[in-house]
Amino acid sequence: MWRRLFATAPAFRAQKAPCRSFKSSRRSDKDVFEEVEDQFRAFRKKAVKAMPGSDWSPFELTPGLPPERADVVIIGGGVVGWSIAYWIKRKERTRGALRVVVVEKDPTYSQASTVLSCGGIRQQFSLKENILLSLESADFLRNINKHLWVTNEDPVDLQFNHSGYLFLASEKSAHVMEENYSTQRYAGAKVVLLSPSQLKERFPWMNTEGVALASLGLENEGWFDPWSLLNAFRRKALSMGVYQCFGEVTGFRYSTQIAEVAEGDFVDFRRIKCVNVRMPNSLEYQPVECPVVVNAAGANSGKIAAMLGIGLGPEESVSGIPFPVEPRKRFVYVVHCPDGPGLDTPFLIDYSGVYLRREGLGGNYIAGMSPEETEEPDISNLDVDHEFFQEKVWHHLAHRIPAFEKLKVSSAWAGFYDYNTFDQNGILGLHPLVANMYFATGFSGHGLQQSPAVGRAIAELILDRGYKTIDLSAFGIKRIIKKKPILERNIV
Amino acid sequence: MAAPLVRHAMRRCLAHNCAVTVRRGLRSGATPSVFTRLLLKLDHYFYDVESFLYLKEWWKTKVVKFQNKYFGYVQKRYGAQIGAAYYILAIKGSFRFAGQSQWFRPDSTGMFSFMRSPHGQIEEVDLSGTLINLNGLGNLISQNKLKTLSLRGCPEVDDWFLARLHVFRDSLVELDLSDCTHVTVGGLAALQNLRKLKRLDISGLPRLQCPGLVRILLEEMLPHCQVIGVESEQGMIQPERQEPTDIDDASTQSGLRRS
């Protein structure tokens, strides 16, 4: 080390230069044995490289190919995928013990749900698991620089806005809100209930007509920049030695075992041996041999599951139950309203389903709404339906905040939800028909805010064979097969 | 209300976005010393230096953690009031009980002694320049009569800390946040829960991009609160000063092109 240090420092180099002129060569002061040792070392390196189990190949390879063998292949380089990669590397015992590959289809992240989301985080759920996941994620985000800071780089700046979430409940749903409130308080979330008069006093710009009760998050709630979080996870995971690969998973090589289940049916049990990763803009693909696969492909995870024959079997059997995750398109509108509410604007969620949050200090807001189940927009592209804002969103918005009668839609975008059609909650854990694929999808819009805790939970499942911090067994795939949904009790 | 004023300020602010970005580039902390810069350079080449840097960071967090530990034993044995008082003095802050005029603070060697107040609770706390963070705040939560809190120049006070201040929402009247390097506008938005706040000092916050605009927005958010330490014009370049420079720029550019 010191020799290298001296060689790199310019001062020492300058001193060395005049000395050299007195000698014809430097060989005389060199140790012969050291040279031999060097030769041995080089030989050993070469031998290790050529041994089976390494990536060494005598042929020229395409740059960007994933390694031939890996310990964990994570399909999907969104925030959940990178979070899982980070937590696996963080939990490994020795540096470089596990080889983790993250496969992402789109290097520009132009259609990724992570970066097209609104970036909110809240604890106002009705399920204990969701509240705990969100609380742990908030704890992670609070200490983000202890987790994701890379030496010699700028600290992570999430641009977190601690404005809280404000849920409004109508007469009909007020009792649900009260029940949810007690669950949230019990789980440790800091939430207060507000009566309409208190609401009017706190937020004078709001029309409280029709509101029976409101709940406001005081702490750990708000919104942040999703791109910063994704990049921070990626930067840290790469610095810890995770392999990043841009390509598309086109299929699997697996072994099948036929077994009889209790009802007398025969089902196929599968074990993945190889993941086929196709390179972008070419037909070349690389099989990656791996013992563990994680499906964090978000909106496309249903497609990945179908590649393994999940849901393609006979209808009554276990293998006939399709994996219930599909992409759903949601529109986000950026509106400009100079007379709108100021710094005290929370992430407002009205009982009509409309949401609104502030964007920056310049009088810009982000608004949107989930469409009716029967009016789901076409998912083949990411085009925005501007009519939807005019017809559905605006009048709810203007009713709630009269200042929004005068507004201008300055831009809009659309993004995909990884929508769980079964019960709109995350699906975590192993599938009973595939021995080595872990699922972490179906968050239906909460994926970003729960990603740090979910990454940790999946890493625990893989490395410790069970949940250690939060027990998420309720989110397992069993509930889909037994047809017992666990539903959020929504106010909307 | 203050909408026209805000709009006016905003227009100016947006017009000089580039000036703001330049400032944002400069604000990422003070310039590190020569030694630190040398270490960061060497860190590129040597694992030993990297682990040394990690060790340094680890030690720093250790100190902060130690300073902000929860005084659970004292609180349980002598009550929450003594626990809070003990904590404040241990991190070299000072405080005053309600109904008394005497301030308690440690002497230059860090030694302190204080008299237990029979029923009064802590009313004023001065934690300027201490290492208090979110965990340390947990020692003060039971003080629901706290009226004045000074956090001048606390390096560990960040937005999450401000969001936690809602525990004093029924009592806090005066808050001093000047020179807290980590506070941003995202944390100041959380002060909306402090409805009793009468006086707020936000001077010298390096991460605030448009202090003038933020002041106006804060005054709008907390109508009874006087926000001090920032002029309404701060962070915005005066338009009359800016116009001639534009012309100057144009003329120099065209001059260059001509020559």
Side-chain angles (χ1 to χ4, degrees):
Chain A
M1 172 195 150
W2 291 110
R3 185 175 297 168
R4 240 176 101 194
L5 175 62
F6 288 163
T8 46
F12 292 106
R13 257 205 312 254
Q15 273 183 357
K16 232 178 198 175
C19 297
R20 213 170 59 185
S21 60
F22 293 108
K23 283 180 188 169
S24 57
S25 79
R26 291 174 61 231
R27 185 156 292 185
S28 56
D29 58 54
K30 228 181 181 180
D31 195 358
V32 181
F33 291 101
E34 199 179 333
E35 234 170 59
V36 175
E37 254 174 43
D38 279 347
Q39 291 285 332
F40 265 117
R41 213 171 290 141
F43 175 73
R44 220 177 295 140
K45 251 186 207 168
K46 238 181 238 173
V48 165
K49 268 190 176 173
M51 288 284 271
S54 77
D55 295 329
W56 184 80
S57 145
F59 309 110
E60 194 77 12
L61 291 171
T62 325
L65 272 185
E68 277 180 34
R69 285 167 201 85
D71 295 308
V72 183
V73 173
I74 297 167
I75 305 170
V79 73
V80 175
W82 279 110
S83 165
I84 295 168
Y86 161 72
W87 278 108
I88 289 175
K89 285 310 256 187
R90 165 107 194 248
K91 282 177 78 74
E92 69 183 1
R93 294 283 167 80
T94 48
R95 199 188 262 198
L98 287 168
R99 186 185 277 199
V100 181
V101 180
V102 176
V103 182
E104 168 58 39
K105 185 169 69 166
D106 179 13
T108 57
Y109 286 90
S110 61
Q111 303 209 336
S113 311
T114 303
V115 287
L116 296 175
S117 72
C118 288
I121 176 166
R122 61 172 159 130
Q123 279 86 48
Q124 297 185 46
F125 292 101
S126 69
L127 286 175
K128 205 180 111 216
E129 283 86 3
N130 274 333
I131 302 170
L132 290 177
L133 273 177
S134 183
L135 274 173
E136 200 196 310
S137 297
D139 193 61
F140 183 92
L141 297 182
R142 188 188 308 135
N143 300 313
I144 190 146
N145 277 313
K146 279 186 199 126
H147 289 285
L148 300 186
W149 180 61
V150 182
T151 27
N152 227 345
E153 297 273 350
D154 281 338
V156 184
D157 182 14
L158 280 182
Q159 298 166 20
F160 202 104
N161 260 287
H162 297 260
S163 293
Y165 265 69
L166 179 70
F167 278 79
L168 304 180
S170 63
E171 207 54 69
K172 264 190 287 176
S173 52
H175 68 283
V176 179
M177 179 176 269
E178 267 179 72
E179 281 164 33
N180 289 355
Y181 167 76
S182 58
T183 322
Q184 288 151 13
R185 292 296 291 206
Y186 184 71
K190 303 281 184 291
V191 185
V192 284
L193 288 180
L194 300 174
S195 69
S197 57
Q198 281 170 320
L199 194 67
K200 190 78 201 170
E201 196 251 315
R202 271 299 294 275
F203 305 106
W205 38 265
M206 195 186 291
N207 174 19
T208 54
E209 193 191 321
V211 178
L213 198 63
S215 71
L216 176 69
L218 297 172
E219 211 179 307
N220 297 334
E221 291 198 347
W223 59 88
F224 57 93
D225 181 19
W227 181 241
S228 315
L229 181 66
L230 175 68
N231 251 343
F233 265 126
R234 190 161 67 145
R235 197 177 67 178
K236 183 69 183 181
L238 288 177
S239 84
M240 290 167 105
V242 173
Y243 289 75
Q244 179 186 16
C245 160
F246 293 117
E248 195 175 344
V249 174
T250 51
F252 299 93
R253 205 177 296 160
Y254 49 77
S255 62
T256 313
Q257 213 180 348
I258 299 170
E260 194 179 349
V261 289
E263 292 89 48
D265 292 333
F266 289 95
V267 287
D268 295 347
F269 286 103
R270 299 208 160 89
R271 173 173 282 276
I272 299 167
K273 287 187 165 164
C274 274
V275 182
N276 293 341
V277 181
R278 202 186 71 192
M279 292 293 99
N281 307 323
S282 84
L283 287 175
E284 182 187 8
Y285 74 88
Q286 164 91 27
V288 184
E289 211 178 313
C290 61
V292 174
V293 182
V294 181
N295 184 351
N300 294 321
S301 52
K303 235 195 268 171
I304 302 278
M307 284 177 199
L308 287 161
I310 295 172
L312 302 179
E315 271 209 7
E316 313 81 53
S317 70
V318 182
S319 56
I321 301 168
F323 193 70
V325 176
E326 59 179 47
R328 290 274 171 99
K329 194 159 80 170
R330 294 288 179 269
F331 306 116
V332 181
Y333 301 94
V334 183
V335 299
H336 182 65
C337 177
D339 295 326
L343 202 58
D344 54 345
T345 322
F347 203 129
L348 176 72
I349 297 184
D350 189 46
Y351 56 80
S352 60
V354 170
Y355 66 82
L356 172 89
R357 78 158 170 86
R358 181 169 55 79
E359 173 65 32
L361 305 175
N364 287 315
Y365 303 86
I366 282 177
M369 179 184 191
S370 291
E372 300 281 324
E373 188 80 12
T374 48
E375 295 169 4
E376 281 294 342
D378 172 39
I379 52 160
S380 57
N381 53 30
L382 278 177
D383 293 344
V384 179
D385 180 10
H386 285 276
E387 297 282 294
F388 183 72
F389 183 81
Q390 302 292 342
E391 285 168 11
K392 296 277 155 74
V393 184
W394 190 10
H395 70 269
H396 286 302
L397 210 56
H399 170 72
R400 190 55 61 217
I401 303 165
F404 278 27
E405 290 285 352
K406 288 187 289 180
L407 59 75
K408 200 174 79 184
V409 181
S410 49
S411 81
W413 75 81
F416 288 127
Y417 262 26
D418 49 339
Y419 193 80
N420 174 359
T421 51
F422 183 66
D423 58 6
Q424 291 86 53
N425 276 310
I427 302 173
L428 302 174
L430 280 169
H431 196 284
L433 295 182
V434 185
N436 55 354
M437 181 186 257
Y438 291 85
F439 286 84
T441 60
F443 296 101
S444 316
H446 325 139
L448 177 71
Q449 55 175 299
Q450 297 182 341
S451 59
V454 164
R456 185 174 191 174
I458 294 291
E460 280 168 4
L461 266 190
I462 294 172
L463 298 179
D464 304 330
R465 295 257 149 218
Y467 296 116
K468 295 272 160 173
T469 41
I470 308 174
D471 183 17
L472 296 172
S473 39
F475 282 168
I477 299 176
K478 231 185 214 172
R479 73 179 199 267
I480 297 165
I481 289 165
K482 289 192 167 169
K483 300 211 164 62
K484 281 184 184 156
I486 45 164
L487 290 162
E488 273 282 329
R489 296 196 67 194
N490 288 325
I491 299 131
V492 179
Chain B
M1 276 184 293
L5 192 57
V6 173
R7 211 177 314 156
H8 177 64
M10 232 141 49
R11 205 176 306 134
R12 283 211 220 153
C13 232
L14 294 175
H16 307 293
N17 231 349
C18 47
V20 171
T21 12
V22 171
R23 269 192 14 181
R24 205 187 305 161
L26 289 174
R27 76 168 152 76
S28 56
T31 14
S33 66
V34 180
F35 180 65
T36 322
R37 266 184 291 167
L38 179 73
L39 274 185
L40 288 177
K41 178 98 182 118
L42 292 178
D43 170 59
H44 279 305
Y45 303 103
F46 305 109
Y47 277 133
D48 314 51
V49 180
E50 190 187 308
S51 50
F52 174 73
L53 282 174
Y54 269 123
L55 207 67
K56 206 174 136 192
E57 200 60 33
W58 173 83
W59 179 245
K60 237 194 224 164
T61 45
K62 197 91 182 157
V63 168
V64 172
K65 210 171 163 187
F66 179 77
Q67 291 249 319
N68 288 292
K69 61 180 188 274
Y70 185 58
F71 282 40
Y73 176 73
V74 181
Q75 288 203 9
K76 209 169 132 195
R77 180 98 195 261
Y78 302 102
Q81 184 202 355
I82 300 292
Y86 186 27
Y87 168 73
I88 293 165
L89 292 174
I91 60 165
K92 301 203 173 79
S94 53
F95 68 89
R96 184 175 70 75
F97 282 120
Q100 292 181 1
S101 59
Q102 190 192 359
W103 279 80
F104 295 101
R105 52 169 63 88
D107 63 11
S108 55
T109 56
M111 301 291 280
F112 54 80
S113 64
F114 63 92
M115 293 282 288
R116 187 183 193 147
S117 165
H119 10 258
Q121 276 198 309
I122 294 175
E123 198 176 62
E124 280 192 61
V125 175
D126 180 9
L127 291 167
S128 310
T130 58
L131 283 176
I132 187 169
N133 72 0
L134 197 69
N135 297 338
L137 189 65
N139 288 313
L140 303 181
I141 275 177
S142 54
Q143 305 306 310
N144 48 21
K145 295 266 165 59
L146 188 69
K147 277 197 176 140
T148 311
L149 181 60
S150 171
L151 299 165
R152 177 179 288 273
C154 292
E156 297 294 321
V157 167
D158 54 4
D159 294 345
W160 297 87
F161 187 96
L162 298 191
R164 177 64 69 82
L165 283 180
H166 72 85
V167 292
F168 305 124
R169 63 182 177 275
D170 297 327
S171 62
L172 200 64
V173 175
E174 213 179 310
L175 182 62
D176 184 355
L177 294 176
S178 46
D179 304 323
C180 292
T181 43
H182 288 310
V183 170
T184 67
V185 69
L188 291 176
L191 298 181
Q192 58 170 304
N193 293 315
L194 307 172
R195 302 314 291 180
K196 295 263 171 74
L197 206 61
K198 290 266 155 51
R199 204 177 146 88
L200 175 66
D201 190 343
I202 54 164
S203 58
L205 300 183
R207 295 185 60 181
L208 230 50
Q209 284 164 24
C210 291
L213 177 61
V214 170
R215 180 198 159 154
I216 295 168
L217 289 171
L218 277 172
E219 279 173 349
E220 202 185 23
M221 181 173 89
L222 301 162
H224 308 295
C225 179
Q226 185 196 2
V227 180
I228 55 167
V230 168
E231 293 302 314
S232 302
E233 304 289 308
Q234 205 172 320
M236 303 170 221
I237 304 163
Q238 302 299 318
E240 28 316 337
R241 213 190 298 158
Q242 195 252 340
E243 271 157 23
T245 52
D246 263 5
I247 296 160
D248 280 353
D249 279 351
S251 62
T252 46
Q253 271 176 14
S254 55
L256 278 174
R257 245 175 256 141
R258 243 178 275 137
S259 64

PDB file of all heavy atoms in Angstrom, chain A residues 66-77:
ATOM      1  N   PRO A  66     -25.515 -10.565 -18.059  1.00  0.00           N
ATOM      2  CA  PRO A  66     -25.495 -10.940 -16.642  1.00  0.00           C
ATOM      3  C   PRO A  66     -24.546 -12.112 -16.424  1.00  0.00           C
ATOM      4  O   PRO A  66     -24.218 -12.828 -17.370  1.00  0.00           O
ATOM      5  CB  PRO A  66     -26.947 -11.337 -16.374  1.00  0.00           C
ATOM      6  CG  PRO A  66     -27.492 -11.734 -17.687  1.00  0.00           C
ATOM      7  CD  PRO A  66     -26.785 -10.913 -18.708  1.00  0.00           C
ATOM      8  N   PRO A  67     -24.103 -12.310 -15.200  1.00  0.00           N
ATOM      9  CA  PRO A  67     -23.222 -13.466 -14.948  1.00  0.00           C
ATOM     10  C   PRO A  67     -23.966 -14.772 -15.191  1.00  0.00           C
ATOM     11  O   PRO A  67     -25.193 -14.822 -15.124  1.00  0.00           O
ATOM     12  CB  PRO A  67     -22.849 -13.297 -13.482  1.00  0.00           C
ATOM     13  CG  PRO A  67     -23.869 -12.399 -12.905  1.00  0.00           C
ATOM     14  CD  PRO A  67     -24.332 -11.520 -14.000  1.00  0.00           C
ATOM     15  N   GLU A  68     -23.191 -15.836 -15.494  1.00  0.00           N
ATOM     16  CA  GLU A  68     -23.830 -17.116 -15.802  1.00  0.00           C
ATOM     17  C   GLU A  68     -24.451 -17.764 -14.577  1.00  0.00           C
ATOM     18  O   GLU A  68     -25.412 -18.499 -14.684  1.00  0.00           O
ATOM     19  CB  GLU A  68     -22.790 -18.074 -16.386  1.00  0.00           C
ATOM     20  CG  GLU A  68     -22.558 -17.880 -17.852  1.00  0.00           C
ATOM     21  CD  GLU A  68     -21.513 -18.859 -18.360  1.00  0.00           C
ATOM     22  OE1 GLU A  68     -21.466 -19.997 -17.845  1.00  0.00           O
ATOM     23  OE2 GLU A  68     -20.743 -18.472 -19.250  1.00  0.00           O
ATOM     24  N   ARG A  69     -23.853 -17.485 -13.439  1.00  0.00           N
ATOM     25  CA  ARG A  69     -24.382 -18.060 -12.209  1.00  0.00           C
ATOM     26  C   ARG A  69     -24.572 -16.966 -11.174  1.00  0.00           C
ATOM     27  O   ARG A  69     -23.780 -16.040 -11.112  1.00  0.00           O
ATOM     28  CB  ARG A  69     -23.416 -19.108 -11.648  1.00  0.00           C
ATOM     29  CG  ARG A  69     -23.464 -20.379 -12.412  1.00  0.00           C
ATOM     30  CD  ARG A  69     -22.325 -21.288 -12.070  1.00  0.00           C
ATOM     31  NE  ARG A  69     -22.131 -22.244 -13.165  1.00  0.00           N
ATOM     32  CZ  ARG A  69     -21.409 -21.986 -14.247  1.00  0.00           C
ATOM     33  NH1 ARG A  69     -20.779 -20.828 -14.357  1.00  0.00           N
ATOM     34  NH2 ARG A  69     -21.298 -22.882 -15.199  1.00  0.00           N
ATOM     35  N   ALA A  70     -25.607 -17.102 -10.393  1.00  0.00           N
ATOM     36  CA  ALA A  70     -25.847 -16.128  -9.336  1.00  0.00           C
ATOM     37  C   ALA A  70     -26.541 -16.831  -8.189  1.00  0.00           C
ATOM     38  O   ALA A  70     -27.066 -17.937  -8.347  1.00  0.00           O
ATOM     39  CB  ALA A  70     -26.714 -14.985  -9.854  1.00  0.00           C
ATOM     40  N   ASP A  71     -26.520 -16.203  -7.031  1.00  0.00           N
ATOM     41  CA  ASP A  71     -27.224 -16.786  -5.880  1.00  0.00           C
ATOM     42  C   ASP A  71     -28.676 -16.330  -5.839  1.00  0.00           C
ATOM     43  O   ASP A  71     -29.560 -17.103  -5.523  1.00  0.00           O
ATOM     44  CB  ASP A  71     -26.512 -16.401  -4.589  1.00  0.00           C
ATOM     45  CG  ASP A  71     -25.131 -17.017  -4.527  1.00  0.00           C
ATOM     46  OD1 ASP A  71     -25.047 -18.231  -4.721  1.00  0.00           O
ATOM     47  OD2 ASP A  71     -24.156 -16.285  -4.318  1.00  0.00           O
ATOM     48  N   VAL A  72     -28.892 -15.050  -6.134  1.00  0.00           N
ATOM     49  CA  VAL A  72     -30.255 -14.529  -6.140  1.00  0.00           C
ATOM     50  C   VAL A  72     -30.437 -13.701  -7.404  1.00  0.00           C
ATOM     51  O   VAL A  72     -29.605 -12.842  -7.706  1.00  0.00           O
ATOM     52  CB  VAL A  72     -30.525 -13.632  -4.910  1.00  0.00           C
ATOM     53  CG1 VAL A  72     -31.969 -13.166  -4.907  1.00  0.00           C
ATOM     54  CG2 VAL A  72     -30.217 -14.347  -3.611  1.00  0.00           C
ATOM     55  N   VAL A  73     -31.480 -13.973  -8.146  1.00  0.00           N
ATOM     56  CA  VAL A  73     -31.834 -13.130  -9.286  1.00  0.00           C
ATOM     57  C   VAL A  73     -33.110 -12.392  -8.931  1.00  0.00           C
ATOM     58  O   VAL A  73     -34.115 -13.009  -8.579  1.00  0.00           O
ATOM     59  CB  VAL A  73     -32.036 -13.962 -10.569  1.00  0.00           C
ATOM     60  CG1 VAL A  73     -32.565 -13.078 -11.686  1.00  0.00           C
ATOM     61  CG2 VAL A  73     -30.751 -14.607 -10.988  1.00  0.00           C
ATOM     62  N   ILE A  74     -33.050 -11.059  -8.988  1.00  0.00           N
ATOM     63  CA  ILE A  74     -34.225 -10.248  -8.680  1.00  0.00           C
ATOM     64  C   ILE A  74     -34.773  -9.714  -9.994  1.00  0.00           C
ATOM     65  O   ILE A  74     -34.070  -9.005 -10.728  1.00  0.00           O
ATOM     66  CB  ILE A  74     -33.859  -9.104  -7.723  1.00  0.00           C
ATOM     67  CG1 ILE A  74     -33.384  -9.683  -6.391  1.00  0.00           C
ATOM     68  CG2 ILE A  74     -35.064  -8.195  -7.494  1.00  0.00           C
ATOM     69  CD1 ILE A  74     -32.710  -8.700  -5.502  1.00  0.00           C
ATOM     70  N   ILE A  75     -36.001 -10.076 -10.306  1.00  0.00           N
ATOM     71  CA  ILE A  75     -36.617  -9.620 -11.554  1.00  0.00           C
ATOM     72  C   ILE A  75     -37.347  -8.326 -11.260  1.00  0.00           C
ATOM     73  O   ILE A  75     -38.288  -8.303 -10.460  1.00  0.00           O
ATOM     74  CB  ILE A  75     -37.590 -10.679 -12.109  1.00  0.00           C
ATOM     75  CG1 ILE A  75     -36.861 -12.014 -12.264  1.00  0.00           C
ATOM     76  CG2 ILE A  75     -38.176 -10.229 -13.429  1.00  0.00           C
ATOM     77  CD1 ILE A  75     -37.781 -13.155 -12.560  1.00  0.00           C
ATOM     78  N   GLY A  76     -36.902  -7.253 -11.865  1.00  0.00           N
ATOM     79  CA  GLY A  76     -37.523  -5.947 -11.630  1.00  0.00           C
ATOM     80  C   GLY A  76     -36.608  -5.051 -10.835  1.00  0.00           C
ATOM     81  O   GLY A  76     -36.307  -5.324  -9.682  1.00  0.00           O
ATOM     82  N   GLY A  77     -36.137  -3.984 -11.482  1.00  0.00           N
ATOM     83  CA  GLY A  77     -35.233  -3.045 -10.823  1.00  0.00           C
ATOM     84  C   GLY A  77     -35.945  -1.790 -10.375  1.00  0.00           C
ATOM     85  O   GLY A  77     -35.433  -0.696 -10.497  1.00  0.00           O
TER      86      GLY A  77
END
